[in-house]
Amino acid sequence: MNPQLVILIIVCYFAVLMVIAHFTSKNDDNTTFFTANRRSPWYLVAFGMIGASLSGVTFISVPGEVGNTAFSYFQVVLGYLVGYLVIATVLLPLYYRLNLISIYAYLEERFGFYSYKTGAFFFLLSRIVGSSFRLFLVAGVLQLAIFDAYNWPFSITVAVTIALIWLYTFRGGIKTIVWTDTLQTLFMILAVVASIYLIKDALDMSWVSLADELKTSEYSKIFVWDANSGQNFFKQFISGAFIAIVMTGLDQDMMQKNLTCKSLKDAQKNMFWFCVVLVIVNFFFLSMGALLYIYAENMQIALPARTDDLYPLLALNHFPLLAGVVFLLGIIAAAYSSADSALTALTTSFCVDFLGLGKSDKPINKKVRIRVHLVFSVILFLVVLAFKAINDQSVITAVFVAAGYTYGPILGLFAFGLFTKFQLKDNSVPLVCLAAPVMSYIINANSEAWLCGYKFGFEILVLNGLLTFIGLYLLRIKKSNVKAALS
């Protein structure tokens, strides 16, 4: 595709985002940045969250991974439904009752200072890692589509990508994100639908014959029952439930959007419709992935070494021009709908959880907030470059592997707070939360030898959360000692 055309598409796209940012940030203040004054329509939040949840990882990695694991990822998606039910019925009522800006403030009220800071720290770590993975993916596509033609280094691509996010989020914050995510989700869904349609035409198939081709292909297998497989149904389903809980319900990024709704009832309606549409959209992405492989086989196109490169390769070099344009709009929308809200959530968490801004004795300083926003942009830039240097696997796998180790302590902390009545030796909590991921890694590395050939998949997250829970149980304070410990 002509690089000048790509640049024109990107310029037009971001011009639209900047217009939205201008109108949504009028008369903005720090309350608007962090909570959107709690006036967001629930249906906008629900639709926009689809794009933020899916991101560029789903847009590229999920279709590409079909070549390795067929439709088995859909087992994880089915598990999401259980996780979202827990979020809607357990976590959202808690957050609204406490009127939280940062969800990790719950840990301070429940356990104390060190537990609060530990939960917030692991969120920052989780989001920096996860967002960097996603930005790496979209920057790679932009490198292929634009910057390789000018022999510009990958670092320039990353810098431009992050700078554009910063420009339209630093003023309006979460209020801007709610609206821009809605637009970006629309572009992303239109892109996948248009791509499927164009593949159908290129293969000269009717919708019925296309569905039959998908159904009979080797790529359409969903359920895996082999107990030793990383794609085993029970492993994937249970992992999906916990992934939804931690990466949505215990994640400041996703919950910050929910907490902009007018009421708990609206937030719960948002969660219900969000999860229904999310399952449908994921199935479309998997279907598109199978069609990409079928198309490559029919056209005798050599498959790339990395599965993440399949969709970009076909869209930019083999599909009609319209398909390439649609692909670029989709990947840009998918990536930025996740990355922009992550940057806002990182800023919110650090300002509220670590600087203490927003409390009655420490009002939020706008200049400080903007500086924090800028610092996290630089951090994301550096981590993306580091990830490029070490990545050797599908990004969708890398994201969930990282989540298993970084979200596990958050899962353990919230579970212990919600399902027990114990207090803790608060100053020892950070040690437990650091030890649990290390122990999980050691067990995972030796699981085949120690556990009769068992291989962990995404369920390493559950193990990590369980080890954290057990460690916290060992730190519990007996009722007779609670008063003394708190005095």
Side-chain angles (χ1 to χ4, degrees):
M1 182 180 290
N2 188 308
Q4 287 79 20
L5 176 60
V6 176
I7 292 173
L8 178 62
I9 292 169
I10 293 174
V11 169
C12 293
Y13 182 82
F14 277 96
V16 174
L17 293 185
M18 293 301 294
V19 169
I20 294 174
H22 171 73
F23 285 105
T24 56
S25 61
K26 277 186 175 180
N27 304 316
D28 69 302
D29 55 27
N30 287 301
T31 301
T32 302
F33 186 94
F34 293 136
T35 67
N37 305 110
R38 302 197 191 280
R39 295 177 182 173
S40 299
W42 68 266
Y43 43 87
L44 281 183
V45 177
F47 193 67
M49 279 179 62
I50 294 168
S53 177
L54 294 174
S55 78
V57 173
T58 302
F59 198 82
I60 290 181
S61 271
V62 167
E65 189 66 13
V66 168
N68 295 328
T69 59
F71 275 30
S72 64
Y73 175 68
F74 197 68
Q75 299 172 127
V76 177
V77 176
L78 293 176
Y80 288 169
L81 297 176
V82 177
Y84 294 137
L85 178 63
V86 173
I87 294 168
T89 58
V90 177
L91 294 176
L92 282 177
L94 173 69
Y95 299 153
Y96 270 86
R97 177 169 56 82
L98 297 177
N99 195 31
L100 300 178
I101 295 177
S102 168
I103 63 174
Y104 308 109
Y106 160 74
L107 296 174
E108 182 174 37
E109 180 174 310
R110 180 66 176 81
F111 298 125
F113 175 85
Y114 290 100
S115 299
Y116 171 35
K117 301 301 181 185
T118 300
F121 166 78
F122 273 98
F123 162 72
L124 292 179
L125 179 62
S126 302
R127 259 305 160 189
I128 288 171
V129 172
S131 297
S132 297
F133 286 162
R134 293 172 171 91
L135 283 169
F136 165 77
L137 197 62
V138 70
V141 173
L142 294 178
Q143 184 74 27
L144 178 66
I146 305 174
F147 294 103
D148 277 345
Y150 298 103
N151 295 315
W152 286 5
F154 183 74
S155 57
I156 297 295
T157 309
V158 178
V160 170
T161 302
I162 295 175
L164 290 170
I165 296 173
W166 191 86
L167 283 174
Y168 74 84
T169 60
F170 83 97
R171 288 182 60 194
I174 195 64
K175 183 178 179 181
T176 297
I177 297 304
V178 167
W179 286 91
T180 56
D181 276 4
T182 300
L183 175 68
Q184 292 176 146
T185 298
L186 177 63
F187 275 122
M188 186 183 64
I189 294 176
L190 288 176
V192 70
V193 171
S195 295
I196 292 174
Y197 179 83
L198 290 168
I199 293 172
K200 178 191 79 70
D201 272 9
L203 295 176
D204 195 24
M205 291 183 177
S206 67
W207 287 112
V208 174
S209 60
L210 190 75
D212 288 339
E213 181 73 19
L214 276 174
K215 185 177 179 180
T216 58
S217 76
E218 61 181 305
Y219 303 111
S220 62
K221 181 181 178 182
I222 296 177
F223 300 106
V224 178
W225 305 107
D226 179 4
N228 289 325
S229 171
Q231 280 72 51
N232 172 267
F233 170 77
F234 296 104
K235 293 180 185 179
Q236 298 282 76
F237 184 83
I238 294 170
S239 297
F242 280 96
I243 286 169
I245 291 170
V246 299
M247 296 186 74
T248 299
L250 302 182
D251 183 277
Q252 175 65 24
D253 181 0
M254 299 300 286
M255 284 297 99
Q256 192 168 355
K257 296 182 181 71
N258 277 275
L259 295 176
T260 66
C261 292
K262 298 176 183 177
S263 65
L264 171 60
K265 185 177 179 181
D266 277 359
Q268 289 173 323
K269 283 193 292 186
N270 151 54
M271 186 56 59
F272 171 77
W273 286 108
F274 159 70
C275 73
V276 170
V277 177
L278 188 67
V279 170
I280 296 170
V281 171
N282 267 288
F283 187 80
F284 273 100
F285 272 104
L286 289 167
S287 299
M288 183 181 70
L291 291 173
L292 291 173
Y293 281 98
I294 292 170
Y295 176 87
E297 291 169 6
N298 275 268
M299 300 298 176
Q300 298 183 334
I301 299 171
L303 297 177
R306 294 176 68 250
T307 59
D308 290 340
D309 294 335
L310 177 64
Y311 191 15
L313 171 72
L314 296 180
L316 298 176
N317 298 309
H318 296 281
F319 287 175
L321 178 62
L322 176 60
V325 172
V326 166
F327 165 78
L328 281 174
L329 285 173
I331 183 58
I332 293 168
Y336 281 97
S337 64
S338 174
D340 56 14
S341 59
L343 185 56
T344 301
L346 289 167
T347 301
T348 300
S349 179
F350 192 82
C351 287
V352 174
D353 298 327
F354 288 95
L355 300 183
L357 303 183
K359 296 181 179 179
S360 57
D361 61 337
K362 204 169 186 179
I364 298 171
N365 185 300
K366 187 173 182 178
K367 289 183 179 179
V368 171
R369 188 201 79 201
I370 292 175
R371 287 172 190 159
V372 171
H373 206 59
L374 181 60
V375 168
F376 274 112
S377 300
V378 175
I379 291 172
L380 289 177
F381 169 77
L382 296 174
V383 177
V384 170
L385 294 186
F387 181 60
K388 176 175 174 54
I390 63 175
N391 180 61
D392 63 352
Q393 58 183 320
S394 164
V395 174
I396 187 68
T397 303
V399 167
F400 286 144
V401 168
Y405 292 109
T406 56
Y407 278 100
I410 301 176
L411 174 62
L413 276 167
F414 272 84
F416 197 85
L418 290 168
F419 300 116
T420 78
K421 295 183 179 180
F422 295 117
Q423 285 296 327
L424 296 171
K425 297 175 183 176
D426 183 49
N427 58 357
S428 297
V429 168
L431 296 177
V432 168
C433 291
L434 289 172
V438 173
M439 293 175 64
S440 298
Y441 179 82
I442 293 172
I443 293 172
N444 185 35
N446 297 279
S447 64
E448 290 184 73
W450 293 353
L451 303 174
C452 303
Y454 184 88
K455 290 182 182 179
F456 279 95
F458 300 149
E459 75 275 12
I460 193 68
L461 166 66
V462 183
L463 174 66
N464 197 351
L466 179 61
L467 290 174
T468 303
F469 190 98
I470 293 171
L472 296 175
Y473 183 78
L474 297 176
L475 294 180
R476 72 192 188 283
I477 299 175
K478 295 180 180 179
K479 289 184 179 180
S480 60
N481 297 328
V482 169
K483 182 182 264 187
L486 295 177
S487 63

